[in-house]
Amino acid sequence: MSTAVMVVIAVIIIAAVAAVAFLAWKQARTRRLRKRFGPEYDRAVEQHGGRAAAERELLDRERRHRDLELRDLDPRRREQYREQWVAVQERFVDAPESAVEQADGLVTVVMGERGYPTSGFEEKAAHLSVEHGRTLDHYRRAHAIGGRAADGKASTEDLRQAMVHYRALFEELLSVPVQRTAPEARSTAPDQRGTAPDQRGTAPDEGRAARGEEVRVPGPRAGEPDDGRTGRDDERTTRS
């Protein structure tokens, strides 16, 4: 076999190995992005008309996200925000539209304190998607319902679902990521999730809404007529 033929064969083999390696790298990158962004990956593919363009967008989000100076909340601040959420949730009984608007504002305030941008919904969503991609759909749904409510096109049940969706992201923003928490901090910090509602006025399981479990939205107070807006006290709402 001549030297020229051997060189050609070697080049073909090297090219084939490189192509296989490149394909494996792309597949690994796709799996990583799918795992990190969750439903937001499929939304990006649909929005950008293909996987390649979508992955470029998601990679750009990761690069911009690295420039943020994110910080966890002080335990006292987390408790204060939970108390504010309870107050907003109680307002739902008398003013559902106002409560949904206030829930949106409270989520934005927490985002700002965590170090996320707070201007422009899509800008906020893009930055949130990097670490909260699997919860971001809740935020999008709540925002959409809020838009319909502003036009007078949202039912009371729609507004109830918006509160559930907002709470899912709210609780995730308040939670302390395990990988960021030192062992001694975990052993000394109070267990926010184990506190009974009658002691603190908050839900006993801060991750309940994010996992899709039932979350109570208050019904009418005792002695008040049921005007059809909020339903019975024992009514529960679930994630749509």
Side-chain angles (χ1 to χ4, degrees):
M1 183 180 297
S2 66
T3 302
V5 173
M6 293 178 64
V7 170
V8 170
I9 293 175
V11 169
I12 292 174
I13 293 174
I14 292 172
V17 171
V20 170
F22 178 72
L23 180 60
W25 172 78
K26 286 190 65 176
Q27 290 175 340
R29 186 181 70 177
T30 296
R31 288 194 298 270
R32 182 184 69 80
L33 291 173
R34 279 186 178 277
K35 181 177 180 181
R36 181 165 204 177
F37 287 92
E40 192 70 6
Y41 180 95
D42 294 327
R43 186 182 183 280
V45 171
E46 181 179 353
Q47 180 180 10
H48 293 279
R51 188 174 65 185
E55 291 188 357
R56 285 195 296 270
E57 161 65 17
L58 297 178
L59 290 170
D60 182 63
R61 293 186 193 183
E62 288 184 326
R63 284 190 291 268
R64 289 187 292 144
H65 183 269
R66 286 194 290 268
D67 293 334
L68 298 178
E69 295 182 2
L70 298 180
R71 51 195 173 272
D72 294 330
L73 296 176
D74 179 86
R76 183 176 300 177
R77 293 294 289 164
R78 288 199 299 272
E79 175 61 18
Q80 291 172 350
Y81 283 131
R82 287 195 179 96
E83 292 174 354
Q84 291 180 37
W85 174 267
V86 171
V88 171
Q89 186 168 272
E90 289 174 349
R91 293 189 190 107
F92 185 91
V93 176
D94 299 316
E97 296 88 351
S98 177
V100 169
E101 184 178 354
Q102 291 171 357
D104 177 71
L106 183 56
V107 167
T108 301
V109 168
V110 175
M111 287 172 54
E113 187 156 343
R114 287 287 313 277
Y116 286 102
T118 57
S119 60
F121 175 76
E122 288 301 330
E123 182 70 9
K124 291 188 289 187
H127 284 286
L128 285 170
S129 68
V130 179
E131 287 193 1
H132 305 281
R134 296 186 176 276
T135 313
L136 185 60
D137 189 55
H138 285 285
Y139 190 38
R140 290 191 181 280
R141 288 172 182 263
H143 179 75
I145 294 172
R148 296 202 303 272
D151 296 332
K153 298 179 180 179
S155 67
T156 301
E157 181 59 29
D158 290 334
L159 297 170
R160 190 194 309 277
Q161 290 299 321
M163 293 293 291
V164 174
H165 291 315
Y166 274 127
R167 176 157 189 172
L169 179 60
F170 176 78
E171 290 290 358
E172 192 165 294
L173 287 170
L174 260 61
S175 64
V176 181
V178 176
Q179 64 270 20
R180 291 185 182 179
T181 311
E184 61 272 21
R186 289 199 300 271
S187 62
T188 58
D191 186 357
Q192 306 290 348
R193 294 176 297 178
T195 304
D198 60 347
Q199 291 174 315
R200 303 158 69 92
T202 60
D205 185 352
E206 66 185 49
R208 181 181 300 170
R211 294 196 301 271
E213 298 178 14
E214 292 182 341
V215 177
R216 181 184 295 274
V217 174
R221 297 189 186 95
E224 291 184 351
D226 183 354
D227 59 5
R229 292 182 306 168
T230 58
R232 299 184 305 275
D233 283 348
D234 62 345
E235 183 174 353
R236 293 173 180 266
T237 59
T238 56
R239 180 169 59 89
S240 62

